[in-house]
Coordinates of all heavy atoms in Angstrom, one line a residue:
M1246 N 31.5 32.6 40.0 CA 30.4 31.9 39.2 C 29.7 32.9 38.4 O 29.2 33.9 38.9 CB 29.5 31.1 40.2 CG 28.7 30.0 39.5 SD 27.8 29.0 40.7 CE 26.3 29.9 40.9
A1247 N 29.6 32.6 37.1 CA 28.9 33.6 36.2 C 27.4 33.6 36.4 O 26.8 32.5 36.7 CB 29.2 33.2 34.8
H1248 N 26.8 34.7 36.4 CA 25.4 34.8 36.5 C 24.7 34.6 35.2 O 25.1 35.2 34.2 CB 25.0 36.2 37.0 CG 23.5 36.4 37.1 ND1 22.7 35.8 38.0 CD2 22.7 37.1 36.3 CE1 21.5 36.1 37.8 NE2 21.4 37.0 36.8
I1249 N 23.8 33.6 35.1 CA 23.1 33.3 33.9 C 21.8 34.0 33.9 O 20.9 33.8 34.8 CB 22.9 31.8 33.7 CG1 24.2 31.1 33.7 CG2 22.1 31.5 32.4 CD1 24.2 29.6 33.8
P1250 N 21.6 35.0 33.0 CA 20.3 35.7 33.0 C 19.1 34.8 32.7 O 19.2 34.0 31.7 CB 20.5 36.8 31.9 CG 21.5 36.2 31.0 CD 22.4 35.4 31.8
E1251 N 18.1 34.9 33.5 CA 16.9 34.1 33.2 C 15.7 34.9 32.8 O 15.7 36.1 33.1 CB 16.5 33.4 34.5 CG 17.4 32.2 34.9 CD 16.8 31.4 36.0 OE1 16.0 31.8 36.8 OE2 17.2 30.2 36.0
R1252 N 14.9 34.3 32.0 CA 13.7 35.0 31.5 C 12.5 34.1 31.7 O 12.7 32.8 31.8 CB 13.8 35.3 30.0 CG 15.0 36.2 29.6 CD 14.7 37.6 30.0 NE 15.8 38.5 29.6 CZ 16.9 38.7 30.4 NH1 17.0 38.2 31.6 NH2 17.8 39.5 30.0
M1253 N 11.3 34.7 31.8 CA 10.1 33.9 32.0 C 9.3 33.7 30.8 O 9.0 34.7 30.1 CB 9.3 34.5 33.1 CG 8.2 33.6 33.7 SD 7.2 34.4 35.0 CE 6.3 35.6 34.0
C1254 N 8.9 32.5 30.5 CA 8.0 32.2 29.4 C 6.6 32.8 29.7 O 6.1 32.7 30.8 CB 7.9 30.7 29.2 SG 6.6 30.2 28.0
I1255 N 6.1 33.5 28.7 CA 4.8 34.2 28.9 C 3.6 33.2 28.8 O 2.5 33.6 29.2 CB 4.5 35.3 27.9 CG1 4.5 34.8 26.4 CG2 5.5 36.5 28.1 CD1 4.1 35.8 25.4
V1256 N 3.9 32.0 28.4 CA 2.8 31.0 28.3 C 2.8 30.1 29.6 O 1.8 30.1 30.3 CB 3.1 30.1 27.1 CG1 2.0 29.0 27.0 CG2 3.1 30.9 25.8
C1257 N 3.9 29.5 30.0 CA 3.9 28.5 31.1 C 4.5 29.2 32.4 O 4.5 28.6 33.4 CB 4.6 27.2 30.8 SG 6.3 27.4 30.5
R1258 N 5.1 30.4 32.2 CA 5.7 31.1 33.4 C 6.8 30.4 34.0 O 7.2 30.6 35.2 CB 4.6 31.4 34.4 CG 3.5 32.3 33.8 CD 2.5 32.9 34.8 NE 1.6 33.8 34.2 CZ 1.9 35.1 34.0 NH1 3.0 35.6 34.4 NH2 1.0 35.9 33.4
T1259 N 7.5 29.5 33.3 CA 8.7 28.8 33.8 C 9.9 29.8 33.5 O 9.9 30.4 32.5 CB 8.9 27.5 33.0 OG1 7.8 26.7 33.2 CG2 10.2 26.8 33.5
R1260 N 10.8 29.9 34.5 CA 12.0 30.7 34.3 C 13.1 29.8 33.8 O 13.3 28.7 34.3 CB 12.4 31.3 35.6 CG 11.4 32.2 36.2 CD 11.9 33.0 37.4 NE 13.0 33.9 37.0 CZ 12.7 35.2 36.6 NH1 11.5 35.6 36.5 NH2 13.7 35.9 36.2
R1261 N 13.7 30.2 32.7 CA 14.8 29.5 32.1 C 15.9 30.4 31.7 O 15.7 31.6 31.5 CB 14.3 28.8 30.8 CG 13.2 27.8 31.0 CD 12.7 27.4 29.6 NE 11.6 26.5 29.6 CZ 11.6 25.2 29.7 NH1 12.8 24.6 29.9 NH2 10.5 24.5 29.7
P1262 N 17.1 29.9 31.5 CA 18.2 30.7 30.9 C 17.7 31.3 29.6 O 17.0 30.6 28.8 CB 19.3 29.7 30.6 CG 19.1 28.6 31.6 CD 17.6 28.5 31.7
A1263 N 18.0 32.5 29.3 CA 17.5 33.2 28.1 C 17.7 32.4 26.8 O 16.8 32.5 25.9 CB 18.1 34.6 28.0
G1264 N 18.8 31.7 26.7 CA 19.0 30.9 25.5 C 18.1 29.8 25.2 O 18.0 29.2 24.1
E1265 N 17.3 29.4 26.2 CA 16.3 28.3 26.0 C 14.9 28.8 25.6 O 14.0 28.0 25.6 CB 16.2 27.5 27.3 CG 17.5 26.8 27.7 CD 17.4 25.9 28.9 OE1 16.3 25.7 29.4 OE2 18.5 25.5 29.4
L1266 N 14.8 30.1 25.4 CA 13.6 30.7 25.0 C 13.7 31.5 23.7 O 14.8 32.0 23.4 CB 13.0 31.6 26.1 CG 12.8 31.0 27.5 CD1 13.8 31.6 28.5 CD2 11.4 31.2 28.0
F1267 N 12.6 31.6 23.0 CA 12.5 32.5 21.8 C 12.2 33.9 22.4 O 11.4 34.0 23.3 CB 11.4 32.1 20.9 CG 11.7 30.9 20.1 CD1 10.8 29.8 20.1 CD2 12.8 30.8 19.3 CE1 11.0 28.6 19.4 CE2 13.1 29.6 18.5 CZ 12.2 28.6 18.6
R1268 N 12.9 34.9 21.8 CA 12.5 36.2 22.1 C 11.6 36.8 21.0 O 11.9 36.7 19.9 CB 13.7 37.1 22.3 CG 13.4 38.6 22.7 CD 14.6 39.4 23.1 NE 14.2 40.7 23.7 CZ 14.0 41.8 23.1 NH1 14.3 41.9 21.8 NH2 13.6 42.9 23.7
L1269 N 10.5 37.3 21.5 CA 9.6 38.1 20.5 C 9.8 39.5 20.9 O 10.1 39.9 22.0 CB 8.1 37.6 20.8 CG 7.8 36.2 20.7 CD1 6.3 35.9 20.9 CD2 8.3 35.6 19.4
R1270 N 9.5 40.4 19.9 CA 9.6 41.8 20.2 C 8.5 42.6 19.5 O 8.1 42.2 18.4 CB 11.0 42.3 19.9 CG 11.3 42.4 18.4 CD 12.7 42.9 18.2 NE 13.0 42.8 16.7 CZ 12.6 43.7 15.8 NH1 12.1 44.8 16.2 NH2 12.9 43.5 14.6
A1271 N 8.2 43.7 20.1 CA 7.2 44.6 19.4 C 8.0 45.4 18.4 O 8.9 46.1 18.7 CB 6.6 45.5 20.5
D1272 N 7.6 45.2 17.1 CA 8.3 45.9 16.0 C 7.5 47.2 15.7 O 6.4 47.1 15.1 CB 8.4 45.0 14.8 CG 9.2 45.6 13.7 OD1 10.3 46.1 13.9 OD2 8.6 45.7 12.6
K1273 N 8.1 48.3 16.0 CA 7.4 49.6 15.7 C 7.1 49.8 14.3 O 6.1 50.4 13.9 CB 8.2 50.7 16.3 CG 8.1 50.8 17.8 CD 8.5 52.2 18.4 CE 8.4 52.3 19.9 NZ 9.6 52.7 20.5
L1274 N 8.1 49.4 13.4 CA 7.9 49.7 12.0 C 6.7 49.0 11.4 O 5.9 49.6 10.7 CB 9.2 49.1 11.3 CG 9.7 50.0 10.1 CD1 10.1 51.4 10.6 CD2 11.0 49.3 9.5
S1275 N 6.5 47.7 11.7 CA 5.4 47.0 11.1 C 4.2 47.0 12.1 O 3.1 46.7 11.6 CB 5.8 45.6 10.9 OG 6.1 44.9 12.1
G1276 N 4.4 47.4 13.3 CA 3.2 47.5 14.3 C 2.8 46.1 14.6 O 1.6 45.9 15.0
T1277 N 3.7 45.1 14.6 CA 3.3 43.7 15.0 C 4.4 43.1 15.9 O 5.5 43.7 16.1 CB 3.2 42.8 13.7 OG1 4.5 42.8 13.0 CG2 2.1 43.3 12.8
V1278 N 4.0 41.9 16.4 CA 5.0 41.2 17.2 C 5.8 40.3 16.3 O 5.1 39.5 15.5 CB 4.3 40.3 18.3 CG1 5.3 39.5 19.1 CG2 3.5 41.2 19.2
V1279 N 7.1 40.3 16.3 CA 7.9 39.5 15.4 C 8.9 38.7 16.2 O 9.1 39.0 17.4 CB 8.7 40.4 14.4 CG1 7.7 41.2 13.5 CG2 9.7 41.3 15.1
A1280 N 9.5 37.6 15.6 CA 10.5 36.9 16.3 C 11.8 37.7 16.2 O 12.2 38.2 15.2 CB 10.7 35.5 15.5
D1281 N 12.5 37.8 17.4 CA 13.7 38.5 17.4 C 14.9 37.5 17.2 O 15.3 36.8 18.1 CB 13.9 39.2 18.8 CG 15.0 40.2 18.7 OD1 15.9 40.1 17.8 OD2 15.2 41.0 19.7
T1282 N 15.3 37.4 16.0 CA 16.3 36.4 15.7 C 17.7 36.8 16.0 O 18.6 36.0 16.0 CB 16.2 36.0 14.2 OG1 16.2 37.2 13.4 CG2 14.9 35.3 13.9
H1283 N 17.9 38.1 16.3 CA 19.3 38.5 16.7 C 19.5 38.9 18.1 O 20.6 39.3 18.5 CB 19.7 39.7 15.7 CG 19.6 39.3 14.3 ND1 20.4 38.4 13.7 CD2 18.7 39.7 13.3 CE1 20.0 38.3 12.4 NE2 19.0 39.0 12.2
T1284 N 18.4 38.9 18.9 CA 18.4 39.1 20.3 C 18.8 40.5 20.8 O 18.5 40.8 21.9 CB 19.3 38.1 21.1 OG1 20.6 38.3 20.9 CG2 18.9 36.7 20.8
K1285 N 19.4 41.3 20.0 CA 19.7 42.6 20.5 C 19.0 43.8 19.8 O 19.3 44.9 19.9 CB 21.2 42.9 20.3 CG 22.1 42.0 21.3 CD 22.0 42.5 22.7 CE 22.8 41.6 23.6 NZ 22.6 41.9 25.1
Q1286 N 17.9 43.4 19.1 CA 17.2 44.4 18.4 C 16.3 45.2 19.4 O 15.9 44.6 20.4 CB 16.3 43.8 17.3 CG 17.2 43.2 16.2 CD 16.4 42.4 15.2 OE1 15.8 41.4 15.5 NE2 16.4 42.8 13.9
P1287 N 16.0 46.4 19.1 CA 15.2 47.2 20.1 C 13.8 46.8 20.1 O 13.3 46.1 19.2 CB 15.4 48.6 19.6 CG 15.6 48.5 18.1 CD 16.4 47.2 17.9
G1288 N 13.1 47.3 21.1 CA 11.6 47.0 21.2 C 11.3 46.2 22.4 O 12.2 45.4 22.8
R1289 N 10.1 46.3 22.9 CA 9.8 45.6 24.1 C 9.7 44.1 23.8 O 9.3 43.7 22.7 CB 8.4 46.0 24.6 CG 8.4 47.5 25.1 CD 7.4 47.7 26.2 NE 6.1 47.3 25.8 CZ 5.4 46.4 26.6 NH1 5.8 45.9 27.7 NH2 4.1 46.1 26.2
G1290 N 10.2 43.3 24.7 CA 10.3 41.8 24.4 C 9.4 41.0 25.2 O 8.9 41.4 26.3
A1291 N 9.2 39.8 24.8 CA 8.5 38.7 25.5 C 9.2 37.4 25.1 O 9.7 37.3 24.0 CB 7.0 38.7 25.2
Y1292 N 9.1 36.4 26.0 CA 9.8 35.2 25.8 C 8.9 34.0 25.8 O 7.9 33.9 26.6 CB 10.9 35.0 26.9 CG 12.0 36.0 26.8 CD1 11.8 37.3 27.3 CD2 13.1 35.8 26.1 CE1 12.8 38.3 27.2 CE2 14.1 36.7 26.0 CZ 13.9 38.0 26.5 OH 14.9 38.9 26.4
I1293 N 9.2 33.0 25.0 CA 8.4 31.8 24.9 C 9.4 30.6 24.8 O 10.4 30.7 24.1 CB 7.5 31.7 23.6 CG1 6.4 32.8 23.7 CG2 6.9 30.3 23.5 CD1 5.6 32.8 22.4
C1294 N 9.1 29.5 25.6 CA 10.0 28.3 25.6 C 10.2 27.8 24.2 O 9.3 27.9 23.4 CB 9.4 27.2 26.4 SG 9.1 27.6 28.1
R1295 N 11.4 27.3 24.0 CA 11.6 26.6 22.7 C 11.1 25.2 22.7 O 11.8 24.2 22.6 CB 13.1 26.6 22.4 CG 13.8 28.0 22.1 CD 15.3 27.8 21.9 NE 15.9 29.1 21.7 CZ 16.1 29.6 20.5 NH1 15.9 28.8 19.4 NH2 16.6 30.8 20.3
N1296 N 9.8 25.1 22.8 CA 9.1 23.8 22.6 C 7.8 24.0 22.0 O 7.2 25.1 22.0 CB 9.1 23.0 23.9 CG 8.2 23.7 24.9 OD1 7.0 24.1 24.6 ND2 8.7 23.8 26.2
I1297 N 7.3 22.9 21.3 CA 6.1 23.0 20.5 C 4.9 23.3 21.4 O 3.9 24.0 21.0 CB 5.9 21.7 19.7 CG1 4.8 21.9 18.6 CG2 5.6 20.5 20.6 CD1 5.3 22.8 17.5
E1298 N 4.9 22.8 22.6 CA 3.7 23.0 23.5 C 3.5 24.5 23.8 O 2.3 25.0 23.7 CB 3.9 22.3 24.8 CG 3.8 20.7 24.7 CD 5.1 20.1 24.2 OE1 6.2 20.8 24.2 OE2 5.1 18.9 23.9
C1299 N 4.5 25.2 24.1 CA 4.4 26.6 24.4 C 4.1 27.5 23.2 O 3.3 28.4 23.3 CB 5.6 27.2 25.2 SG 5.6 26.6 26.9
I1300 N 4.6 27.1 22.0 CA 4.3 27.8 20.8 C 2.8 27.6 20.5 O 2.1 28.6 20.2 CB 5.2 27.3 19.6 CG1 6.6 27.6 19.9 CG2 4.7 27.9 18.3 CD1 7.6 27.0 18.9
R1301 N 2.3 26.4 20.5 CA 0.9 26.1 20.2 C 0.0 26.8 21.2 O -1.0 27.4 20.8 CB 0.6 24.6 20.3 CG 1.4 23.8 19.2 CD 0.5 23.6 18.0 NE 1.2 23.2 16.8 CZ 1.6 22.0 16.5 NH1 1.4 21.0 17.3 NH2 2.3 21.8 15.4
L1302 N 0.4 26.8 22.5 CA -0.5 27.4 23.5 C -0.4 29.0 23.4 O -1.4 29.6 23.6 CB 0.0 27.0 24.9 CG -1.1 26.9 26.0 CD1 -2.3 26.1 25.5 CD2 -0.5 26.4 27.3
A1303 N 0.7 29.5 23.0 CA 0.8 30.9 22.8 C -0.1 31.4 21.7 O -0.8 32.4 21.8 CB 2.2 31.3 22.4
E1304 N -0.2 30.6 20.6 CA -1.1 30.9 19.5 C -2.6 30.8 20.0 O -3.4 31.7 19.7 CB -0.8 29.9 18.4 CG -1.7 30.2 17.1 CD -1.2 29.4 15.9 OE1 -0.6 28.4 16.1 OE2 -1.6 29.9 14.8
K1305 N -2.9 29.7 20.7 CA -4.3 29.5 21.1 C -4.7 30.6 22.1 O -5.8 31.1 22.0 CB -4.3 28.1 21.8 CG -5.7 27.6 22.0 CD -5.6 26.2 22.6 CE -7.0 25.8 23.2 NZ -6.8 24.6 24.1
K1306 N -3.8 31.0 23.0 CA -4.2 32.0 24.0 C -3.9 33.4 23.5 O -4.2 34.4 24.2 CB -3.4 31.7 25.3 CG -3.9 30.5 26.0 CD -2.9 30.0 27.0 CE -2.9 31.0 28.2 NZ -2.1 30.4 29.4
D1307 N -3.3 33.6 22.4 CA -2.9 34.9 21.8 C -2.1 35.7 22.9 O -2.2 36.9 23.1 CB -4.2 35.7 21.5 CG -3.9 36.7 20.4 OD1 -2.8 36.7 19.8 OD2 -4.8 37.6 20.2
A1308 N -1.2 34.9 23.5 CA -0.4 35.4 24.6 C 0.5 36.6 24.2 O 0.6 37.6 25.0 CB 0.5 34.3 25.2
P1309 N 1.2 36.6 23.1 CA 2.0 37.8 22.7 C 1.2 39.1 22.6 O 1.7 40.1 23.0 CB 2.6 37.4 21.4 CG 2.6 35.9 21.4 CD 1.3 35.5 22.1
R1310 N 0.0 39.0 22.1 CA -0.8 40.2 21.9 C -1.1 40.8 23.3 O -1.1 42.0 23.5 CB -2.1 39.9 21.2 CG -2.9 41.2 20.9 CD -4.4 40.9 20.7 NE -4.6 40.1 19.5 CZ -4.9 40.6 18.3 NH1 -4.9 41.9 18.2 NH2 -5.1 39.8 17.3
R1311 N -1.4 39.9 24.2 CA -1.8 40.4 25.6 C -0.6 41.0 26.3 O -0.7 41.9 27.1 CB -2.4 39.2 26.4 CG -3.8 38.8 25.8 CD -4.6 37.9 26.8 NE -4.0 36.6 26.8 CZ -3.4 36.1 27.9 NH1 -3.3 36.7 29.0 NH2 -2.9 34.8 27.8
H1312 N 0.6 40.5 26.0 CA 1.8 41.0 26.7 C 2.3 42.3 26.0 O 2.8 43.2 26.7 CB 2.9 39.9 26.7 CG 2.7 39.0 27.9 ND1 3.3 39.2 29.1 CD2 1.9 38.0 28.1 CE1 2.9 38.3 30.0 NE2 2.0 37.5 29.3
L1313 N 2.3 42.3 24.7 CA 2.9 43.4 24.0 C 2.0 44.4 23.3 O 2.4 45.3 22.7 CB 3.9 42.8 22.9 CG 5.0 42.0 23.5 CD1 5.8 41.3 22.4 CD2 6.0 42.8 24.3
K1314 N 0.7 44.1 23.4 CA -0.4 44.9 23.0 C -0.4 45.2 21.4 O -0.8 46.2 20.9 CB -0.3 46.3 23.7 CG -0.2 46.3 25.2 CD -1.4 45.6 25.8 CE -1.2 45.6 27.4 NZ -2.0 44.6 28.0
L1315 N 0.2 44.2 20.7 CA 0.2 44.2 19.3 C -0.2 42.9 18.7 O 0.0 41.8 19.4 CB 1.6 44.6 18.8 CG 2.1 46.0 19.0 CD1 3.6 46.0 18.6 CD2 1.3 47.0 18.2
A1316 N -0.8 42.8 17.5 CA -1.1 41.6 16.9 C 0.3 40.9 16.4 O 1.2 41.6 16.2 CB -1.9 41.8 15.6
V1317 N 0.3 39.6 16.4 CA 1.5 39.0 15.9 C 1.6 39.0 14.4 O 0.6 39.1 13.7 CB 1.6 37.5 16.3 CG1 1.6 37.4 17.9 CG2 0.5 36.6 15.7
C1318 N 2.8 39.0 13.8 CA 2.9 39.1 12.4 C 2.5 37.8 11.7 O 2.5 36.8 12.4 CB 4.4 39.5 12.0 SG 5.6 38.1 12.3
E1319 N 2.1 37.9 10.5 CA 1.7 36.8 9.7 C 2.8 35.7 9.7 O 4.0 36.0 9.5 CB 1.5 37.3 8.3 CG 1.0 36.2 7.3 CD -0.5 36.2 7.2 OE1 -1.1 37.2 7.5 OE2 -1.1 35.1 6.9
G1320 N 2.4 34.5 10.0 CA 3.3 33.4 10.0 C 4.3 33.2 11.1 O 5.2 32.4 11.1
L1321 N 4.1 34.0 12.2 CA 5.1 34.0 13.3 C 5.2 32.6 13.9 O 6.3 32.1 14.1 CB 4.7 35.0 14.4 CG 5.5 34.9 15.7 CD1 6.9 35.4 15.4 CD2 4.8 35.6 16.8
Y1322 N 4.1 31.9 14.2 CA 4.1 30.6 14.9 C 4.8 29.6 14.0 O 5.5 28.7 14.5 CB 2.7 30.2 15.3 CG 2.2 31.2 16.3 CD1 1.2 32.1 16.0 CD2 2.7 31.3 17.6 CE1 0.7 33.0 16.9 CE2 2.3 32.2 18.5 CZ 1.2 33.1 18.2 OH 0.8 34.0 19.1
R1323 N 4.5 29.6 12.7 CA 5.2 28.7 11.8 C 6.7 28.9 11.8 O 7.5 28.0 11.8 CB 4.6 28.8 10.3 CG 3.2 28.6 10.2 CD 2.7 27.2 10.5 NE 2.5 27.0 11.9 CZ 1.4 27.4 12.5 NH1 0.5 28.1 11.9 NH2 1.2 27.2 13.8
Q1324 N 7.1 30.2 11.8 CA 8.5 30.6 11.8 C 9.1 30.0 13.1 O 10.2 29.4 13.0 CB 8.6 32.1 11.8 CG 10.0 32.6 11.7 CD 10.2 34.1 11.8 OE1 9.2 34.8 11.8 NE2 11.4 34.6 11.9
L1325 N 8.5 30.1 14.2 CA 9.1 29.6 15.5 C 9.2 28.1 15.4 O 10.2 27.5 15.8 CB 8.2 30.0 16.7 CG 8.1 31.5 17.0 CD1 7.2 31.7 18.2 CD2 9.4 32.1 17.2
E1326 N 8.2 27.5 14.9 CA 8.2 26.0 14.8 C 9.4 25.6 13.9 O 10.1 24.6 14.2 CB 6.9 25.4 14.2 CG 5.8 25.5 15.2 CD 4.5 24.9 14.6 OE1 4.5 24.1 13.7 OE2 3.4 25.3 15.1
D1327 N 9.6 26.3 12.8 CA 10.7 26.0 11.9 C 12.1 26.2 12.6 O 13.1 25.6 12.2 CB 10.7 26.9 10.7 CG 9.6 26.5 9.7 OD1 9.0 25.4 9.9 OD2 9.3 27.3 8.8
M1328 N 12.1 27.0 13.7 CA 13.4 27.2 14.4 C 13.6 26.2 15.5 O 14.7 26.3 16.2 CB 13.4 28.7 14.9 CG 13.5 29.7 13.8 SD 14.0 31.4 14.4 CE 12.4 31.9 15.2
L1329 N 12.7 25.3 15.8 CA 12.9 24.4 16.8 C 14.0 23.4 16.5 O 14.1 23.0 15.3 CB 11.6 23.6 17.1 CG 10.5 24.4 17.9 CD1 9.2 23.5 17.9 CD2 10.9 24.8 19.2
Ligands
LIG2474 ZN1 6.8 27.9 28.3

């Protein structure tokens, strides 16, 4: 049986298969948290469920900043919503 890697949402702390979450990463170049659209890019990562509730709550609680110690990039939450 294949092992499915699980990741934990930084908002609701639910563990899910990695494919069911968005990966955010600390982008050293811009000094912000960005959406990792290719999944293998370098940088510390954090995960958020692919649902509107966790995206909205992440924005409200500023969860990515607390986890990755960087401000999120302009328009990040709208970008995630567009990817739902
Ligand atoms: Zn979640």
Side-chain angles (χ1 to χ4, degrees):
M1246 200 169 85
H1248 175 71
I1249 300 167
E1251 288 194 332
R1252 298 288 182 269
M1253 191 178 74
C1254 171
I1255 61 172
V1256 178
C1257 67
R1258 301 190 174 274
T1259 300
R1260 298 188 68 85
R1261 300 173 183 275
E1265 294 180 12
L1266 302 112
F1267 287 123
R1268 182 172 190 264
L1269 306 180
R1270 68 182 174 87
D1272 182 54
K1273 282 197 179 129
L1274 217 60
S1275 64
T1277 60
V1278 177
V1279 300
D1281 190 348
T1282 50
H1283 304 289
T1284 70
K1285 290 289 181 190
Q1286 292 172 300
R1289 297 210 307 126
Y1292 294 82
I1293 294 179
C1294 299
R1295 288 178 181 263
N1296 65 48
I1297 194 70
E1298 290 80 12
C1299 283
I1300 293 171
R1301 293 266 161 84
L1302 209 55
E1304 182 170 22
K1305 194 175 162 196
K1306 292 166 70 172
D1307 208 10
R1310 184 204 296 270
R1311 291 192 288 112
H1312 276 263
L1313 298 172
K1314 314 296 182 202
L1315 289 173
V1317 301
C1318 72
E1319 181 92 27
L1321 173 72
Y1322 296 108
R1323 301 294 84 75
Q1324 186 187 353
L1325 294 180
E1326 286 178 27
D1327 286 347
M1328 290 193 287
L1329 285 175

